[in-house]
Amino acid sequence: MDNGKRSVLRKTWEQQDASYQGMMLNSKAPLLHEEDTSEILSYLPTLQGLDVVELGSGIGRFTGSLAKTADHVLAVDFVDKFIKKNKEVNSMFTNIDYIVDDAMNIKLEPNSVGFVFTNWLFMYLDDNDTTRLLNNILKWVPSEGYVFIRESCLYGSGDLSFGENTTYYREARQYEELFRTISTTTSGGAKEYCFRIDKSKSLDSYIKVMKNKNQIAWLLQKVRRENEARL
């Protein structure tokens, strides 16, 4: 995404309230937050003993829940007031670090992250940036490590206005095609890794409350490429 469009996106989010409604862009946010959060957490693998990176953490709707079981959580968001709110609501946790930065700027060591969590992130990235970030994430997690992704497909999730020109409402199959293009090879070229789609699910909470079947969650796992053909 060009810097101008990214700047517009940041300014648009800076105008949103640091609240559930501001994050979810939905007048039914108090009800949706509880059901949506509970459902998403039920799809995650065990995080015990893992270092977790949450990209696009916002005001911490999920951060505290991740921190309850993970060894450590790195919460990243490019809006300063959201990170400040996140720190406030999760002040009881000592195993969370916070970074105010764009997810595209984050640099981490290979195999250093046990689990990566994103919620409504890739819908704000064009295909090039989506591919680049997915490649980064594939390197960050170890073999058999997991990545959670949730996105709005085809249209938005809420009933409140937002800068539509900064949003990419892909079809679910487009995301899955992108996931399948991602691969990485070890230094000697001996092992090539890719993402396997372990779960693909329309969120029941949004079907129930908003009659919206296009809130899609994926659980991806990093696997050997030669194994992927047999899965």
Side-chain angles (χ1 to χ4, degrees):
M1 183 184 297
D2 64 77
N3 290 335
K5 195 167 186 178
R6 202 73 182 148
S7 177
V8 170
L9 176 64
R10 188 192 302 267
K11 289 178 181 177
T12 301
W13 274 113
E14 287 173 346
Q15 294 170 5
Q16 299 298 318
D17 290 337
S19 64
Y20 293 153
Q21 185 167 298
M23 293 292 91
M24 304 179 79
L25 303 172
N26 200 304
S27 61
K28 298 179 181 179
L31 170 62
L32 273 169
H33 163 69
E34 183 175 346
E35 297 205 14
D36 179 66
T37 304
S38 177
E39 181 179 4
I40 284 176
L41 292 173
S42 74
Y43 299 147
L44 304 187
T46 179
L47 303 182
Q48 189 170 4
L50 298 183
D51 289 338
V52 172
V53 172
E54 182 185 12
L55 299 176
S57 63
I59 63 172
R61 288 209 303 128
F62 298 96
T63 310
S65 295
L66 298 173
K68 284 180 182 178
T69 53
D71 269 11
H72 179 265
V73 176
L74 177 64
V76 180
D77 201 281
F78 68 177
V79 178
D80 181 66
K81 69 178 177 181
F82 294 166
I83 288 292
K84 287 178 179 175
K85 183 67 174 180
N86 196 331
K87 287 181 179 180
E88 177 187 329
V89 300
N90 291 306
S91 61
M92 71 290 293
F93 294 100
T94 60
N95 61 334
I96 305 174
D97 285 325
Y98 302 88
I99 294 179
V100 180
D101 204 349
D102 194 305
M104 298 303 303
N105 298 332
I106 301 302
K107 294 178 173 59
L108 299 170
E109 292 297 316
N111 305 312
S112 64
V113 177
F115 178 68
V116 175
F117 180 92
T118 73
N119 183 68
W120 289 323
L121 174 65
F122 290 98
M123 58 190 278
Y124 299 111
L125 302 177
D126 63 21
D127 286 354
N128 287 335
D129 281 352
T130 293
T131 299
R132 183 157 66 92
L133 184 54
L134 285 170
N135 271 301
N136 288 342
I137 291 171
L138 184 64
K139 294 173 184 175
W140 297 344
V141 296
S143 178
E144 309 302 320
Y146 285 97
V147 178
F148 179 85
I149 296 172
R150 178 270 190 84
E151 299 297 336
S152 296
C153 296
L154 296 178
Y155 51 82
S157 62
D159 54 7
L160 302 179
S161 62
F162 190 72
E164 301 294 339
N165 65 328
T166 60
T167 311
Y168 298 87
Y169 292 125
R170 301 176 178 93
E171 296 182 37
R173 64 173 181 82
Q174 290 177 287
Y175 277 109
E176 294 183 2
E177 288 169 0
L178 281 168
F179 299 154
R180 293 187 178 101
T181 67
I182 307 304
S183 65
T184 187
T185 306
T186 57
S187 57
K191 298 178 182 179
E192 185 176 281
Y193 291 94
C194 62
F195 284 126
R196 177 180 67 190
I197 301 173
D198 271 12
K199 182 183 288 290
S200 176
K201 181 76 168 63
S202 294
L203 293 183
D204 294 332
S205 51
Y206 271 76
I207 295 173
K208 174 184 175 182
V209 178
M210 300 298 296
K211 308 295 189 250
N212 182 341
K213 297 180 180 181
N214 295 298
Q215 288 296 302
I216 311 296
W218 292 274
L219 187 64
L220 310 181
Q221 188 176 27
K222 179 177 178 176
V223 298
R224 292 276 295 274
R225 173 67 77 181
E226 55 265 37
N227 293 336
E228 170 66 5
R230 298 195 293 270
L231 295 173

